[in-house]
Amino acid sequence: MSSSTGTTRKPVYLAVYDTLADWETGHATAQLARAGYEIRTVGPTREPVRSVGGLRVQPDLAIADVRPSDAALLILPGADLWDAGDDLAPFARTARAFLDAGVPVAAICGATAGLAREGLLDNRDHTSAVSFYLAATGYGGGERYVDADAVTDGGLVTAGPTEPVAFAREILRLLHVYDDEAVDAWYRLFHDSDAGAYAVLEKAGVL
């Protein structure tokens, strides 16, 4: 069960923008929603955006209206736009504001490059698709790169595009949504198709 049972949770903010990678945040947002978190979408403006898979998303609010104090977490999915100019730079700057305020941020795939350009990975352990992808940004954090499925350092989670389940695992741990045994079982179920994990999850009230 959640360690936050009986308390009022702040919403989780999910960044949405054109070309966002549909598959990268679904495990995290679905499990957080099932655990009682409201998921609020944040766009460049409140105009609709379209994912790389063609899904049309109407943002709940614009990035300019986001305040760290209002949220439990900011999730930044990958998108082609992260490597196509500065259109998404406001999201990286918002991530800085969240981390400076002690509110966690989770970035996957191309969003990690955006954070690298913002200087947010220079002094934090992190991962991404591959090390040379981030090196191409010219950032100063190459020595802190970790070759792992997902990495948490303080309030920052990072992962590569092929690790949406590990990304969600780290978010569930960071927010203490379930105890460690339940999170590990959840990961084994969705990553390894380990049917034996069902018993642990049923006992914990996750399923």
Side-chain angles (χ1 to χ4, degrees):
M1 66 178 61
S2 169
S3 62
S4 301
T5 299
T7 64
T8 300
R9 298 183 178 93
K10 293 180 178 180
V12 168
Y13 285 175
L14 171 67
V16 294
Y17 20 71
D18 286 332
T19 73
L20 76 92
D22 310 61
W23 65 92
E24 292 177 346
T25 61
H27 282 286
T29 55
Q31 204 60 45
L32 288 169
R34 292 188 68 175
Y37 285 88
E38 177 189 5
I39 308 299
R40 303 201 72 197
T41 52
V42 180
T45 66
R46 293 199 68 242
E47 291 299 311
V49 300
R50 196 168 294 277
S51 75
V52 73
L55 298 182
R56 183 179 182 275
V57 182
Q58 174 70 60
D60 294 313
L61 67 164
I63 190 67
D65 298 325
V66 166
R67 303 290 179 269
S69 59
D70 296 334
L73 172 73
L74 173 65
I75 301 178
L76 299 174
D80 294 345
L81 286 181
W82 282 111
D83 298 317
D86 297 328
D87 287 355
L88 300 186
F91 289 89
R93 291 194 292 270
T94 298
R96 176 180 291 281
F98 269 63
L99 292 171
D100 286 349
V103 181
V105 172
I108 184 168
C109 189
T112 62
L115 298 193
R117 295 185 188 97
E118 183 65 19
L120 295 175
L121 305 185
D122 289 354
N123 300 301
R124 294 178 173 91
D125 290 343
H126 59 275
T127 194
S128 184
V130 288
S131 60
F132 56 80
Y133 170 63
L134 291 186
T137 68
Y139 83 129
E143 293 184 354
R144 302 295 294 267
Y145 187 90
V146 181
D147 188 9
D149 55 5
V151 172
T152 300
D153 187 338
L156 178 64
V157 174
T158 52
T162 61
E163 299 294 345
V165 182
F167 185 59
R169 177 197 68 207
E170 295 302 298
I171 290 171
L172 296 176
R173 285 177 176 167
L174 184 63
L175 294 185
H176 305 291
V177 176
Y178 308 118
D179 63 30
D180 288 344
E181 183 182 18
V183 172
D184 288 343
W186 180 89
Y187 178 77
R188 295 199 316 272
L189 177 62
F190 285 95
H191 187 267
D192 303 325
S193 299
D194 180 0
Y198 272 108
V200 177
L201 295 174
E202 287 179 346
K203 181 180 179 181
V206 177
L207 297 179

